[in-house]
């Protein structure tokens, strides 16, 4: 499969001229990461694209540190990076995505370059950004302006700007309509539960911290997705989730901005260092 020319497959203005300076990335967003992954992979074509991927270097269960770094780096570049940062990361991700496509044996048809699939992933990332701001940050910054800036979650790859719903109301319509079509097959569900329990980090870490990761994951998961995953959030788990968030919220709001943004600011600096030294980005 040929990697598309990521600079000419859509007009440059559809992506690179978007100003994302209004998107404040809080490091606490990493706590909601596993729940966001479940939301993304709930779309069968995305779920099987990850589950069947032949790109071992991006496999969370084989290379957990590298996969986590590259995923968080994408968020840092999309939300806080410059147009040149995004172009460089787009090319790097494009080379990896070139190998992510369905085979005759796949249960569903998928292609990592499909803008419709990327739009869903971007929508999940933006939804997660709003949720994190409401819980840990400043909900007052959620506006139509920041919503429009959120388009960079998709335009940093192959999603043309015109595909991003025009308003937050349009986004909500797209969100609800898409959720109504989602189904999570048993193999994908087990894969996602393994992520929630941190099994990718090894048996010791999973045994010690898997219970906490599971509570954080299910806590951040919207009710519709809990139903599709067939999981229950008990009152005790809800209490742990709420108390944890109250503590983290108080800490985050008293930190200086550089610490609030950690590790995203450090990852963006690392991406720029890798670009300067011609090292792999993903």
């Amino acid at each position: 499969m040929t990697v598309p020319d990521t600079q000419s497959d859509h007009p440059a203005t559809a992506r690179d001229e978007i100003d994302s300076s209004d998107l404040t990335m809080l490091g606490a967003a990493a706590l909601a990461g596993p729940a966001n992954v479940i939301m993304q992979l709930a779309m069968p074509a995305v779920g099987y694209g990850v589950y069947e991927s032949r790109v071992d270097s991006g496999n969370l269960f084989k290379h957990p540190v590298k996969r986590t770094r590259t995923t968080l780096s994408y968020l840092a570049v999309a939300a806080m990076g410059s147009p040149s940062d995004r172009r460089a990361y787009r090319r790097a991700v494009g080379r990896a995505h070139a190998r992510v496509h369905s085979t005759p044996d796949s249960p569903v048809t998928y292609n990592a370059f499909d803008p419709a699939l990327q739009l869903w992933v971007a929508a999940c990332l933006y939804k997660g950004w709003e949720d994190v701001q409401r819980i840990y940050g400043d909900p007052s910054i959620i506006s139509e302006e920041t919503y429009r800036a959120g388009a960079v979650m998709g335009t940093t790859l192959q999603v043309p700007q015109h595909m991003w719903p025009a308003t937050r109301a349009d986004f909500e319509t797209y969100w609800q309509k898409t959720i109504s079509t989602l189904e999570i097959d048993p193999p994908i569900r087990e894969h996602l539960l393994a992520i929630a329990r941190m099994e990718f980090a090894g048996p010791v870490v999973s045994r010690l911290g898997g219970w906490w990761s599971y509570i954080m994951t299910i806590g951040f998961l919207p009710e519709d997705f809990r139903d599709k995953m067939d999981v229950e959030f008990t009152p005790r788990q809800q209490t742990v989730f709420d108390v944890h968030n109250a503590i983290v919220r108080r800490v985050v709001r008293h930190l200086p901005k550089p610490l609030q943004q950690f590790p995203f600011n450090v990852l963006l600096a690392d991406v720029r260092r890798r670009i300067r030294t011609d090292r792999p980005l993903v």
Side-chain angles (χ1 to χ4, degrees):
M1 174 177 291
T2 302
V3 179
D5 180 347
T6 54
Q7 297 307 306
S8 61
D9 52 350
H10 297 296
T13 54
R15 297 185 297 256
D16 288 337
E17 294 181 7
I18 295 175
D19 180 4
S20 63
S21 60
D22 292 317
L23 287 183
T24 299
M25 290 298 299
L26 297 177
L31 295 169
N36 208 271
V37 169
I38 289 177
M39 291 157 58
Q40 296 170 33
L41 273 60
M43 178 170 283
V46 178
Y48 277 102
V50 172
Y51 184 67
E52 296 185 334
S53 175
R54 296 177 291 281
V55 184
D56 283 349
S57 62
N59 188 311
L60 178 64
F61 286 81
K62 294 181 179 180
H63 302 281
V65 175
K66 181 177 185 293
R67 176 65 188 197
T68 300
R69 173 183 66 79
T70 56
T71 299
L72 296 182
S73 293
Y74 175 81
L75 286 171
V77 169
M80 303 163 61
S82 67
S84 62
D85 295 330
R86 295 180 204 138
R87 283 194 294 270
Y89 218 80
R90 184 183 307 133
R91 286 192 293 268
V93 173
R95 286 190 287 270
H97 277 181
R99 297 172 57 194
V100 181
H101 54 87
S102 56
T103 69
D105 296 326
S106 300
V108 296
T109 301
Y110 59 84
N111 187 315
F113 285 112
D114 186 342
L117 300 184
Q118 291 187 6
L119 175 62
W120 171 247
V121 171
C124 292
L125 294 174
Y126 175 76
K127 190 78 167 180
W129 179 85
E130 281 200 356
D131 290 344
V132 167
Q133 287 299 330
R134 289 192 183 96
I135 295 175
Y136 300 128
D138 180 5
S140 69
I141 70 173
I142 300 173
S143 64
E144 289 293 334
E145 185 177 4
T146 53
Y147 166 72
R148 288 192 295 272
V152 292
M153 297 299 182
T155 60
T156 299
L157 294 180
Q158 278 77 42
V159 181
Q161 189 176 357
H162 68 79
M163 286 185 67
W164 190 248
T167 66
R168 290 182 72 232
D170 293 329
F171 178 89
E172 187 62 22
T173 298
Y174 162 79
W175 182 258
Q176 294 300 334
K177 182 179 179 180
T178 304
I179 288 178
S180 69
T181 68
L182 302 180
E183 294 184 5
I184 302 178
D185 291 350
I188 303 301
R189 178 181 181 275
E190 291 306 311
H191 180 73
L192 296 178
L193 287 174
I195 292 176
R197 295 188 293 255
M198 293 184 70
E199 292 180 11
F200 58 85
V204 174
V205 173
S206 179
R207 189 160 48 247
L208 293 175
W211 66 272
W212 173 83
S213 175
Y214 182 86
I215 290 175
M216 291 298 105
T217 301
I218 305 306
F220 278 109
L221 208 57
E223 191 66 35
D224 289 337
F225 290 90
R226 291 180 194 168
D227 292 341
K228 292 178 184 298
M229 285 287 292
D230 193 25
V231 296
E232 179 185 2
F233 200 47
T234 67
R236 176 182 172 278
Q237 291 171 331
Q238 181 74 62
T239 299
V240 172
F241 183 73
D242 291 342
V243 170
H244 171 273
N245 286 342
I247 295 171
V248 174
R249 177 167 56 248
R250 180 175 291 273
V251 171
V252 168
R253 291 180 178 179
H254 286 83
L255 289 174
K257 188 174 181 179
L259 289 180
Q260 287 182 346
Q261 295 181 338
F262 177 84
F264 293 105
N265 48 3
V266 173
L267 289 168
L268 179 58
D270 178 62
V271 167
R272 289 171 172 168
R273 178 180 61 84
R274 288 171 179 272
I275 292 172
R276 287 195 306 271
T277 57
D278 197 28
R279 296 181 60 195
L281 300 185
V282 299

